[in-house]
């Protein structure tokens, strides 16, 4: 296993961490491996243990992040009281949410629809690029005999657009992936705050 | 046979590694491994904890066209290190007594 495979494995193992924590850990080890001399890489990976073990170690630490108080007995008492209070608070909040849904539900739905249509527009525009490219390319062959100069122009445009598609494809996929992850962790955060 | 280091001691060791000047992750590991063999996989969690508890701060610096994250000890980190050091001296005395260790005796036996 080389370092980039190791990082990939590690990222998979850390999926249940928050986006921020996962990024922090991955960035640390990416940087770490860049500093390791090439000839030591194999040995260093061996010393780190397999990605799963490393992930376990990181996740163990995660629990300490959340309550850093030294006095654990006091802490658990506090937590108990807090969770009781929180429960009553949460029920009231949920009732309130249901009662007021007449007002916020339509607004929420319209906002979501607007967002979706914007997203759809973007997707359609992006999809147009390869389609136009193919169309221009095809038309250039079609009119080659009658109007060679326009055909040449169409050929150029077609190749250009297809080239953009090929170059843009991988960054676009990566962008979409991180966007989905971002939305996911955002939703998770909101969910955690309410419940 | 090796005695396990608990996470408090590990914190102290990491703090000590950053005490003189800001250092980056790999260098911290190397510095520590020069003196003591520990599992590298426990170092990142300790660094992250110290950072979250504001005993260390970090900043990014460019190095050969890429990023390097440097860790710098804070005043509260120095304070914590001092406490760890004096706690360790006390603890070491207690263990020495509890195991009836007399360094001269052991050295004589080995010779």
């Amino acid at each position: 296993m080389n370092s980039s495979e190791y990082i990939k494995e590690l990222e998979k193992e850390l999926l249940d961490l928050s986006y921020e924590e996962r990024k922090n850990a991955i960035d640390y080890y990416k940087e770490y491996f860049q500093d390791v001399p090439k000839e030591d890489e194999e040995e260093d990976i061996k010393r780190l243990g397999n990605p799963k073990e490393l992930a376990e170690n990181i996740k163990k630490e995660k629990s300490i992040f959340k309550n850093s108080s030294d006095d654990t007995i006091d802490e658990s008492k506090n937590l108990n009281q807090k969770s009781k209070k929180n429960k009553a608070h949460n029920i009231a909040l949920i009732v309130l949410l249901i009662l007021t849904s007449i007002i916020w539900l339509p607004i929420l739905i319209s906002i979501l629809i607007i967002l979706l249509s914007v997203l759809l527009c973007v997707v359609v525009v992006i999809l147009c690029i390869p389609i136009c490219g193919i169309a221009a390319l095809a038309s250039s062959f079609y009119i080659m005999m009658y109007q060679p100069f326009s055909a040449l122009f169409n050929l150029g445009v077609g190749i250009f657009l297809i080239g953009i598609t090929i170059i843009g494809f991988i960054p676009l996929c990566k962008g979409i992936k991180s966007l989905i992850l971002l939305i996911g962790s955002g939703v998770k955060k909101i969910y955690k705050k309410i419940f | 046979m090796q005695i396990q280091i608990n996470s408090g001691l590990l914190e102290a060791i990491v703090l000590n590694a950053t005490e003189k000047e800001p250092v980056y992750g790999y260098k911290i590991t190397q510095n520590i491994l020069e003196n003591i063999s520990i599992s590298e996989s426990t170092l990142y969690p300790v660094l992250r904890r110290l950072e979250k508890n504001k005993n260390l701060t970090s900043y990014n610096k460019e190095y050969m066209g890429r990023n390097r994250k440097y860790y710098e000890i804070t005043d509260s980190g120095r304070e914590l290190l001092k406490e760890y050091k004096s706690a360790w001296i006390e603890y070491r005395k207690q263990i020495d007594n509890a195991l009836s260790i007399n360094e001269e005796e052991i050295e004589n036996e080995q010779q």
Side-chain angles (χ1 to χ4, degrees):
Chain A
M1 190 183 321
N2 65 28
S3 61
S4 60
E5 283 165 347
Y6 191 93
I7 296 275
K8 252 185 205 162
E9 278 295 309
L10 183 64
E11 195 163 12
K12 254 187 236 160
E13 295 291 338
L14 292 177
L15 269 182
D16 45 342
L17 250 59
S18 71
Y19 175 78
E20 192 201 337
E21 281 302 330
R22 186 172 56 240
K23 188 174 169 345
N24 211 304
I26 294 298
D27 282 351
Y28 175 86
Y29 282 106
K30 268 188 192 159
E31 225 180 87
Y32 182 91
F33 280 125
Q34 283 172 335
D35 280 319
V36 176
K38 255 283 171 265
E39 64 269 19
D40 293 349
E41 191 176 288
E42 212 169 306
E43 198 195 331
D44 230 273
I45 287 173
K46 247 184 230 161
R47 266 192 294 173
L48 270 178
N50 67 46
K52 201 167 182 173
E53 277 169 21
L54 180 56
E56 292 295 316
N57 267 333
I58 294 172
K59 281 186 227 168
K60 249 191 258 163
E61 198 53 47
K62 198 45 187 130
S63 57
I64 303 173
F65 291 164
K66 275 182 187 156
N67 32 30
S68 53
S69 166
D70 289 328
D71 210 343
T72 41
I73 302 164
D74 234 36
E75 184 87 357
S76 63
K77 256 190 201 166
N78 269 342
L79 269 182
N80 255 337
Q81 278 175 352
K82 253 188 208 165
S83 67
K84 263 183 203 162
K85 260 189 207 164
N86 269 348
K87 255 184 199 159
H89 179 80
N90 277 346
I91 291 167
L93 200 69
I94 289 166
V95 170
L96 203 69
L97 270 177
I98 294 168
L99 285 180
T100 53
S101 64
I102 309 166
I103 303 166
W104 59 259
L105 204 60
I107 298 173
L108 186 73
I109 289 172
S110 33
I111 289 174
L112 278 181
I113 288 173
I114 290 170
L115 281 180
L116 263 179
S117 12
V118 169
L119 196 70
L120 196 69
C121 289
V122 172
V123 169
V124 166
V125 168
I126 290 173
L127 266 182
C128 273
I129 295 174
I131 291 171
C132 288
I134 291 165
L137 206 64
S139 71
S140 80
F141 286 115
Y142 186 68
I143 59 173
M144 190 80 87
M145 290 303 144
Y146 320 106
Q147 295 161 315
F149 289 117
S150 332
L152 211 59
F153 175 71
N154 281 9
L155 190 73
V157 170
I159 291 172
F160 176 67
L161 291 178
I162 290 172
I164 285 183
T165 311
I166 293 169
I167 292 169
F169 186 71
I170 291 168
L172 188 72
C173 285
K174 273 189 187 159
I176 290 171
K177 191 182 152 199
S178 54
L179 189 71
I180 290 172
L181 282 178
L182 208 70
I183 292 172
S185 64
V187 169
K188 222 177 175 181
K189 249 184 210 165
I190 294 171
Y191 183 82
K192 266 188 194 157
K193 252 190 194 158
I194 296 176
F195 299 105
Chain B
M1 190 180 153
Q2 205 182 2
I3 295 170
Q4 280 236 308
I5 302 173
N6 71 17
S7 73
L9 270 180
L10 215 51
E11 268 185 25
I13 290 170
V14 171
L15 280 173
N16 193 56
T18 57
E19 200 215 353
K20 280 193 192 118
E21 52 183 359
V23 237
Y24 54 91
Y26 180 68
K27 192 90 206 293
I28 293 177
T29 313
Q30 293 304 306
N31 285 350
I32 292 175
L33 285 177
E34 266 173 28
N35 295 315
I36 187 168
S37 98
I38 47 157
S39 162
E40 282 178 61
S41 62
T42 52
L43 278 182
Y44 169 74
V46 172
L47 269 174
R48 186 75 180 128
R49 190 197 323 154
L50 286 169
E51 197 185 356
K52 282 226 166 176
N53 293 341
K54 307 223 160 60
N55 296 314
L56 291 177
T57 55
S58 62
Y59 60 89
N60 294 318
K61 200 173 164 188
E62 206 191 274
Y63 169 78
M64 310 236 305
R66 64 183 171 85
N67 187 47
R68 241 183 199 171
K69 191 171 175 182
Y70 279 79
Y71 293 88
E72 187 173 16
I73 196 165
T74 63
D75 288 342
S76 72
R78 281 182 207 283
E79 202 56 45
L80 186 65
L81 179 59
K82 223 187 261 175
E83 279 169 34
Y84 269 129
K85 278 184 176 173
S86 60
W88 170 249
I89 291 170
E90 195 49 45
Y91 188 66
R92 192 176 59 190
K93 271 184 208 157
Q94 288 172 11
I95 297 287
D96 280 353
N97 287 334
L99 293 176
S100 326
I101 284 175
N102 185 334
E103 279 177 40
E104 282 170 26
E105 240 172 61
I106 291 178
E107 267 172 34
N108 284 338
E109 265 174 42
Q110 277 172 346
Q111 283 166 3

